[in-house]
Amino acid sequence: MSRRPVVSNGNAFSHERQQNGAAKALNSEEDETTDIQRWRLLDERGRQTWHYLESDEELEAWPQSSADRYHLGLPLNLSDLPPAKNSKNSVQNALIFFTQLQLPPGNWACEYGGPNFLIPGVVIAWYVTQTPIPPPIAIEMKRYLFARQHPEDGGWGLHIEGESTAYGTTMTYVVLRLLGASEEDMRMVRARGMLQQLGGAVNGPHWAKFWLAVLGVMEWDAVNPVPPELWLLPDWVPVAPWRWWIHMRQVFLPMSFVYSKKYVFPQTALTQQLREELYIQPYSSIDFASHRNSISPRDNYHPKSLILTIINWILVYIWNPYLRSNSIRKRAEDWTFDLIAREDENTDFANLAPVSSPMNLLACYIHDGPDSYSVKRHRERLPEFLWKKNEGMLVNGTNGVQTWDTSWLIQAVVEAGLAEEFEWKPMLTKALEFLEDQQIRENCREQDVCYRQQRKGAWAFSTKTQGYTVSDTTSEALKAVLMLQNLPGYPTLLSDERLYEAIDTLLTMQNASGGFASYEPTRGSEYLEYLNAAEVFGRIMVEYDYPECSTAVVTALRLFSRYYPSYRKNDISKALNGALKYIRKAQRTDGSWYGSWGICFTYAGMFALEALASVGETYDNSSRVRKACEFLLSKQRNDGGWGESYKGCETGIYTQHARSQVVMTSWAIIGLIVAEYPDRGPIERAARLIMGRQQRNGEWKQEGIEGVFNKSVMISYPNYKFIFPIKALGMFAKMSASEQTLQGWLNQD
């Protein structure tokens, strides 16, 4: 790549036109823009990074691909396809389009955004570590954040579809100022007005206060304790951090190191201004210590428990001033940084996710110095979280969904009965090659010391470099491999031994309840939620059983046993019995299951019905399956579709979306078909809705947000609008008797 202009500390925008298309500074209420034709997505064995080409020579040498243009919202100039006469035609049209988006390594890419708290951590970490921000990135981040500003009140929420909160509004405002937005821009004036209504930055949650203190626009007195000494507790202690959910402990780890150092970025003119812009009274008059527990009601999804409040008081007023010796402090800081270094080593500095990764960068900057190798590698890795789209640039929830989406696409085509057709074999073979390349081939060094789960033979959600075992990703990837490698015309890329390794790792992940969690078995009690200090998230402290993860493992084990009936037969049988027992028990009295990774009851219902169907439980012979089908059908809308609002994830009560959704309608179809629901009418109506929304080029347009985590945070899975309609309509196509009926309906239009 050629030389690139940079922004020192993120706030020194040039006010003249940059070379070859970078934008001029415009009036404060207009957006700066880059030349969208100059953006390119580079995929190196799944490592995805966006690049802005500055010279005409680069443009000629690296033309935009169809995938680039699609993700940037540019027209692909594809010809209209013949109208689908039946659901199989619809699937074929979708595959013609989606094949255009496959990347050279064999995977698919997409935005994985939604949470509004991801960009702030990255930008503030860049700013305080004096990491130059290329102007094209800064410009596009500003565009995205302004595009997602609440149109009525001027604030920002916890996620892109949520109401404005102190967390979202404070942190987004700060980032926009660091990226060069003027405080006089009317959009910023409106944001300050909303922030004042919410009580100012002192009413932000714990994570917001942490970053504001690091930046030097809030005093550390306002931040509730994050004691690294917890990492010195013996492993048998019930509250020891190794027992926490992996995302929580990987955030707490660098956060506790930085908290112990009380690092503050040296004051600049900009941070001095921010001190006056973020509060409803003069900065010098604020008693920050009195605001440790202040939080806006809109942010207080999981209020601090009385126990946690008492512990924080003891830490602040007794432990820190009187009992915390320098030797204890040093031991704690040394051990936490050793664990940080191990995380960096195990992931080659990619880290688990973009909340912890910027904190690791900051910890390395403090400990190793600004010119250290660790800081250099973090700076090189952070761009993997960035994603460019038509609205601007955002930060993805991980460094991608490469393995997850690729596994599901393979399965969808196989389930549709098209995998043996010659037209799709090159695409599927490339996808299989990608999964072969991404299987994790070794465990972490001294995995017990750094509290890591066994991972040899597993697949990570994104890439093997990120390297975290995930039960459902491993299961879905294993199923995809088994499906293709047992069809004629596909190569055997993964040996039996490598498949055995995947099974061996999956069998280590089952909980005593019989269910399966996500990254590792549950290590601590749910009572640890009393120590949940994040405030904006629920069910964040420990791993939980999930119907989705449990189903993924059940169906993977069942498929594996079909081809390898003698391998660990008794262990697999025991695991299946336990998982199915959990899935049955997790069903609610109304027939539904609560979903933790997709929205919400429709998503979990699809999975659970697949698990039960894999052992022969159907509508005809199972009362629980009948109840599940009746629940789904009770939510079908007049237009034949299903649409579920994210609000149901927050409340635990099924909540209708304003409009039917193609993705959720597909989930419902899949659930009803695997359950062998006898009345095809509701399924036909749903299929008709999906086909009716398909575009003439084979695609479906993006609708509502699809994913969720920790009950309160929504996240996008844009490829779902291809994967699940392909699977649902493909399965429906096998119901040949229905095809003529549906065609008759279509002919009436």
Side-chain angles (χ1 to χ4, degrees):
M1 298 297 294
S2 69
R3 57 187 172 85
R4 300 182 185 182
V6 297
V7 179
S8 176
N9 289 342
N11 64 351
F13 277 98
S14 170
H15 286 268
E16 58 189 43
R17 187 166 186 82
Q18 303 290 336
Q19 179 184 8
N20 292 322
K24 289 181 179 178
L26 304 176
N27 295 331
S28 63
E29 294 166 38
E30 300 178 10
D31 282 332
E32 297 174 292
T33 62
T34 62
D35 183 351
I36 201 167
Q37 304 285 347
R38 293 179 176 272
W39 287 98
R40 304 290 187 273
L41 176 63
L42 178 65
D43 189 324
E44 303 166 290
R45 297 179 66 183
R47 180 178 184 263
Q48 298 168 174
T49 50
W50 283 95
H51 299 262
Y52 189 73
L53 307 186
E54 297 163 6
S55 70
D56 293 338
E57 291 76 17
E58 287 177 309
L59 289 175
E60 185 175 352
W62 188 358
Q64 273 185 335
S65 67
S66 294
D68 294 337
R69 296 184 65 81
Y70 175 79
H71 295 309
L72 293 168
L74 296 171
L76 300 190
N77 300 318
L78 299 177
S79 301
D80 285 349
L81 298 171
K85 296 181 180 180
N86 51 50
S87 58
K88 182 177 180 180
N89 290 162
S90 180
V91 171
Q92 291 168 326
N93 286 351
L95 286 172
I96 289 170
F97 184 89
F98 200 49
T99 301
Q100 302 285 327
L101 308 185
Q102 189 177 29
L103 298 173
N107 63 294
W108 281 263
C110 68
E111 167 192 354
Y112 187 48
N116 283 330
F117 54 84
L118 301 177
I119 291 179
V122 172
V123 172
I124 293 174
W126 276 339
Y127 188 88
V128 301
T129 60
Q130 302 182 75
T131 300
I133 307 177
I137 289 176
I139 289 167
E140 293 301 327
M141 281 187 167
K142 283 200 302 179
R143 285 188 62 239
Y144 176 78
L145 293 173
F146 278 132
R148 289 297 177 173
Q149 188 172 24
H150 196 288
E152 296 175 3
D153 61 36
W156 291 267
L158 182 65
H159 57 86
I160 58 176
E161 292 193 6
E163 66 177 354
S164 295
T165 62
Y167 191 7
T169 303
T170 299
M171 300 306 289
T172 305
Y173 182 92
V174 167
V175 166
L176 282 166
R177 293 288 280 123
L178 297 181
L179 294 173
S182 168
E183 75 277 17
E184 296 178 359
D185 187 313
M186 284 306 299
R187 295 169 295 188
M188 301 293 279
V189 173
R190 292 182 64 225
R192 284 200 303 278
M194 186 62 210
L195 184 55
Q196 288 180 1
Q197 291 181 42
L198 295 168
V202 293
N203 278 345
H206 188 237
W207 290 10
K209 289 172 177 171
F210 167 83
W211 278 119
L212 295 177
V214 166
L215 185 59
V217 297
M218 180 176 281
E219 299 300 311
W220 276 106
D221 289 345
V223 183
N224 267 314
V226 194
E229 296 87 280
L230 280 178
W231 290 98
L232 300 178
L233 292 173
D235 288 350
W236 57 263
V237 175
V239 299
W242 76 276
R243 299 180 181 277
W244 303 358
W245 184 47
I246 185 63
H247 280 278
M248 189 61 185
R249 71 174 185 261
Q250 288 300 339
V251 169
F252 178 81
L253 178 64
M255 183 183 280
S256 68
F257 178 84
V258 176
Y259 171 84
S260 186
K261 294 292 188 181
K262 295 294 195 296
Y263 176 84
V264 179
F265 183 67
Q267 196 171 104
T268 66
L270 178 56
T271 57
Q272 181 63 40
Q273 282 182 267
L274 282 169
R275 286 184 170 195
E276 303 307 321
E277 295 170 18
L278 296 174
Y279 304 99
I280 61 175
Q281 65 188 93
Y283 188 87
S284 60
S285 69
I286 300 173
D287 177 7
F288 282 98
S290 70
H291 288 289
R292 283 190 299 105
N293 296 313
S294 298
I295 186 167
S296 164
R298 293 192 183 188
D299 294 77
N300 204 16
Y301 181 78
H302 186 99
K304 287 185 291 294
S305 67
L306 178 61
I307 292 173
L308 180 59
T309 302
I310 292 171
I311 291 172
N312 285 335
W313 187 93
I314 293 170
L315 290 169
V316 169
Y317 295 108
I318 298 175
W319 174 255
N320 286 345
Y322 300 115
L323 302 178
R324 189 183 192 233
S325 66
N326 287 335
S327 62
I328 291 176
R329 176 188 57 78
K330 186 177 187 307
R331 280 182 58 213
E333 290 176 358
D334 288 348
W335 178 230
T336 53
F337 190 79
D338 184 76
L339 290 173
I340 290 167
R342 289 172 183 270
E343 161 73 354
D344 289 343
E345 174 191 337
N346 289 330
T347 63
D348 192 19
F349 295 88
N351 297 142
L352 176 61
V355 177
S356 58
S357 186
M359 294 181 184
N360 277 25
L361 164 61
L362 177 57
C364 290
Y365 184 87
I366 295 168
H367 186 275
D368 295 341
D371 300 322
S372 63
Y373 174 78
S374 61
V375 170
K376 175 178 179 292
R377 289 294 289 134
H378 275 295
R379 286 170 171 162
E380 293 169 349
R381 281 297 197 183
L382 271 177
E384 295 174 36
F385 295 113
L386 307 184
W387 186 261
K388 177 71 179 77
K389 59 181 294 187
N390 60 320
E391 291 177 310
M393 180 163 278
L394 55 94
V395 171
N396 277 340
T398 62
N399 61 339
V401 294
Q402 297 89 314
T403 296
W404 178 251
D405 280 2
T406 301
S407 301
W408 275 109
L409 186 279
I410 291 172
Q411 292 182 53
V413 180
V414 173
E415 294 280 5
L418 301 178
E420 293 186 65
E421 294 188 5
F422 177 79
E423 185 175 1
W424 313 119
K425 283 189 175 181
M427 173 192 71
L428 293 174
T429 301
K430 283 176 63 180
L432 177 61
E433 290 169 351
F434 179 78
L435 293 186
E436 185 278 329
D437 183 57
Q438 293 302 313
Q439 188 185 30
I440 301 170
R441 304 296 297 124
E442 69 286 315
N443 288 318
C444 296
R445 181 177 66 85
E446 297 182 312
Q447 68 180 31
D448 293 338
V449 176
C450 51
Y451 307 114
R452 285 292 296 272
Q453 176 69 19
Q454 178 177 319
R455 67 178 189 176
K456 186 177 182 181
W459 279 268
F461 186 67
S462 55
T463 65
K464 70 177 179 182
T465 301
Q466 190 259 11
Y468 273 89
T469 306
V470 188
S471 65
D472 55 359
T473 307
T474 298
S475 298
E476 303 301 349
L478 178 61
K479 286 193 291 184
V481 170
L482 287 168
M483 286 176 176
L484 285 187
Q485 290 194 166
N486 285 282
L487 286 176
Y490 289 96
T492 301
L493 300 181
L494 279 81
S495 65
D496 291 352
E497 185 63 32
R498 290 175 64 176
L499 300 179
Y500 297 162
E501 290 170 356
I503 293 296
D504 292 344
T505 290
L506 281 176
L507 291 175
T508 70
M509 303 184 75
Q510 190 166 28
N511 289 320
S513 64
F516 285 80
S518 52
Y519 291 88
E520 55 203 14
T522 303
R523 297 176 173 182
S525 165
E526 188 171 356
Y527 288 117
L528 279 170
E529 293 294 348
Y530 285 112
L531 303 184
N532 180 352
E535 299 162 314
V536 294
F537 312 115
R539 289 166 61 93
I540 195 174
M541 290 300 294
V542 295
E543 279 276 16
Y544 290 91
D545 295 319
Y546 300 112
E548 306 100 300
C549 296
S550 301
T551 289
V553 177
V554 165
T555 52
L557 293 179
R558 291 283 296 171
L559 184 61
F560 174 84
S561 295
R562 181 189 305 172
Y563 298 111
Y564 302 93
S566 61
Y567 185 75
R568 298 191 66 174
K569 179 178 179 180
N570 292 336
D571 293 331
I572 289 175
S573 177
K574 181 180 178 181
L576 285 170
N577 289 337
L580 288 162
K581 180 180 178 181
Y582 157 71
I583 291 168
R584 293 168 183 140
K585 184 178 179 181
Q587 187 177 27
R588 296 184 172 193
T589 56
D590 63 3
S592 69
W593 287 266
Y594 177 86
S596 296
W597 302 104
I599 301 173
C600 173
F601 297 94
T602 320
Y603 185 70
M606 172 189 70
F607 275 93
L609 286 169
E610 285 185 311
L612 297 174
S614 74
V615 292
E617 286 194 38
T618 66
Y619 187 90
D620 181 60
N621 61 25
S622 170
S623 60
R624 64 175 56 89
V625 172
R626 287 194 290 275
K627 285 185 68 176
C629 291
E630 289 161 5
F631 174 84
L632 283 176
L633 292 167
S634 73
K635 308 304 179 186
Q636 189 173 23
R637 300 158 74 99
N638 292 335
D639 61 8
W642 278 260
E644 195 174 348
S645 167
Y646 73 85
K647 289 290 186 182
C649 302
E650 298 176 342
T651 64
I653 301 170
Y654 189 102
T655 306
Q656 291 282 2
H657 196 283
R659 184 172 185 257
S660 291
Q661 303 288 299
V662 163
V663 171
M664 292 162 189
T665 301
S666 301
W667 293 340
I669 287 177
I670 294 166
L672 291 170
I673 289 177
V674 298
E676 299 181 14
Y677 181 69
D679 183 358
R680 294 176 178 176
I683 302 173
E684 291 173 344
R685 291 172 57 221
R688 185 185 185 199
L689 179 136
I690 295 173
M691 292 176 64
R693 293 201 189 164
Q694 189 174 28
Q695 306 298 300
R696 291 294 301 273
N697 62 3
E699 71 172 317
W700 283 275
K701 295 296 186 180
Q702 184 65 31
E703 298 178 338
I705 205 162
E706 306 92 347
V708 61
F709 61 92
N710 298 126
K711 299 185 72 172
S712 61
V713 189
M714 309 306 134
I715 196 161
S716 301
Y717 287 84
N719 286 337
Y720 279 9
K721 66 180 177 288
F722 295 101
I723 292 166
F724 287 105
I726 287 170
K727 181 175 180 178
L729 293 178
M731 294 172 70
F732 178 71
K734 294 179 180 179
M735 302 168 65
S736 57
S738 296
E739 287 295 287
Q740 186 173 1
T741 302
L742 181 61
Q743 181 57 37
W745 278 357
L746 292 173
N747 288 338
Q748 296 173 19
D749 292 344

